[in-house]
Amino acid sequence: MNLIERAVSPTPTFFQKLRNIGLALAAISAAIIATPVALPAIIKTIAGYLAVAGTVLSGVSQVTTAGD
């Protein structure tokens, strides 16, 4: 099974929830990074790490299949 087939095949419910959490993390962190207000550097650093974690979580959850 290649990557495209895995991405379009049905995803188990647990991993759908994880995917949505990852997308939310990525969206929140993108909003924090893009704010025009001056934030402390530690906040922007943490937001960057959350963006990476959310993106990886969403990507891995999307290509998980129910199994045969």
Side-chain angles (χ1 to χ4, degrees):
M1 180 179 284
N2 64 19
L3 188 61
I4 294 173
E5 291 172 348
R6 291 182 73 88
V8 297
S9 64
T11 303
T13 306
F14 174 72
F15 288 102
Q16 288 177 359
K17 291 177 185 177
L18 282 180
R19 181 191 62 209
N20 293 339
I21 290 169
L23 289 172
L25 281 175
I28 291 168
S29 64
I32 290 172
I33 291 171
T35 55
V37 179
L39 294 172
I42 189 71
I43 301 284
K44 292 206 174 200
T45 302
I46 291 171
Y49 288 135
L50 284 177
V52 172
T55 304
V56 170
L57 182 63
S58 296
V60 170
S61 296
Q62 180 61 42
V63 295
T64 304
T65 59
D68 296 326

